[in-house]
Amino acid sequence: GAGVSQTPSNKVTEKGKYVELRCDPISGHTALYWYRQSLGQGPEFLIYFQGTGAADDSGLPNDRFFAVRPEGSVSTLKIQRTERGDSAVYLCASSFGGPIEAFFGQGTRLTVV
Amino acid sequence: GENVEQHPSTLSVQEGDSAVIKCTYSDSASNYFPWYKQELGKRPQLIIDIRSNVGEKKDQRIAVTLNKTAKHFSLHITETQPEDSAVYFCAASTVGSQGNLIFGKGTKLSVKP
């Protein structure tokens, strides 16, 4: 596609539920990043994929968060037992490799009620 | 790990004036420094970047300077226009290593007509 696509654009879920957020990177981009952005803050790094493997998952806050990229393209961020503190905009970015010229998607606004 | 500090948090200028946003980083291994512009409710967009092998880079009204010794870099916008109003984020990364981009907390720039 023309840009990084994230779905859904908005997600409201109840505390304790499981959610999946999807990212479609720019075609041909091998690097994919997930970030979380709270109101008035900069993007907070969660995980970085190079191809199918997680090159760096040091930003995942706890074991409720997990991400996959099985075919090296689409990625899914999975959050178990959601908490109100998980409410934020989840951003995905992709690039041809590493952080150089990483392009962001529009984000998924997650609200846990 | 890397830590990026950004100042000021808010900046208000008159149309036509210059704006300067400054960032410092902690990891001397960082070698890639992009700047992103984020308008309200939209995705962060890459506006300019610089690598550690150069001290300055310009693109029309935007320039970025890097001082590796002092570990700080700055964004300069000249002849500001109302459409420059947005939140600007600096970031730092180590290309060839982990590759994750660490962001500052952002500067809200307001350009008054």
Side-chain angles (χ1 to χ4, degrees):
Chain A
V4 179
S5 176
Q6 290 188 246
T7 55
S9 54
N10 282 282
K11 176 72 176 177
V12 180
T13 190
E14 292 181 346
K15 179 176 177 295
K17 298 289 188 181
Y18 167 83
V19 296
E20 289 189 352
L21 312 179
R22 176 186 169 107
C23 173
D24 269 285
I26 293 171
S27 178
H29 279 191
T30 60
L32 186 146
Y33 296 82
W34 282 101
Y35 285 85
R36 176 168 69 176
Q37 187 174 29
S38 300
L39 192 63
Q41 299 294 314
E44 173 192 4
F45 171 75
L46 296 177
I47 187 169
Y48 160 48
F49 287 92
Q50 183 58 48
T52 59
D56 183 357
D57 64 358
S58 63
L60 295 176
N62 51 59
D63 61 6
R64 295 187 297 107
F65 288 74
F66 189 71
V68 296
R69 196 185 184 199
E71 298 178 357
S73 179
V74 171
S75 176
T76 304
L77 178 66
K78 307 180 180 191
I79 310 174
Q80 298 177 321
R81 305 183 303 280
T82 51
E83 300 177 357
R84 292 194 179 89
D86 299 334
S87 297
V89 175
Y90 288 81
L91 293 165
C92 175
S94 71
S95 74
F96 280 113
I100 306 294
E101 296 188 352
F103 292 91
F104 280 85
Q106 290 274 34
T108 293
R109 181 175 298 278
L110 175 66
T111 304
V112 182
V113 296
Chain B
E2 175 65 275
N3 181 53
V4 177
E5 300 283 341
Q6 184 171 349
H7 301 279
S9 57
T10 60
L11 179 59
S12 182
V13 300
Q14 288 295 133
E15 183 177 0
D17 287 351
S18 295
V20 180
I21 302 170
K22 299 181 179 181
C23 289
T24 60
Y25 60 99
S26 61
D27 189 349
S28 57
S30 289
N31 54 13
Y32 175 67
F33 308 92
W35 287 86
Y36 285 81
K37 175 183 180 182
Q38 188 174 32
E39 297 176 17
L40 189 63
K42 297 191 176 181
R43 73 187 76 194
Q45 290 191 304
L46 179 67
I47 55 172
I48 195 168
D49 57 11
I50 191 168
R51 301 203 196 194
S52 60
N53 58 346
V54 297
E56 184 176 6
K57 183 177 179 180
K58 289 183 179 180
D59 183 2
Q60 299 182 336
R61 297 186 296 107
I62 293 173
V64 57
T65 59
L66 171 65
N67 183 326
K68 287 177 59 180
T69 303
K71 290 191 282 190
H72 67 69
F73 56 113
S74 301
L75 178 71
H76 304 252
I77 307 173
T78 58
E79 301 172 23
T80 53
Q81 301 167 2
E83 51 264 38
D84 294 330
S85 297
V87 179
Y88 291 81
F89 293 100
C90 62
S93 181
T94 308
V95 176
S97 182
Q98 291 182 324
N100 52 332
L101 276 170
I102 302 301
F103 283 83
K105 293 190 174 182
T107 296
K108 183 176 181 180
L109 174 64
S110 299
V111 180
K112 298 180 179 179

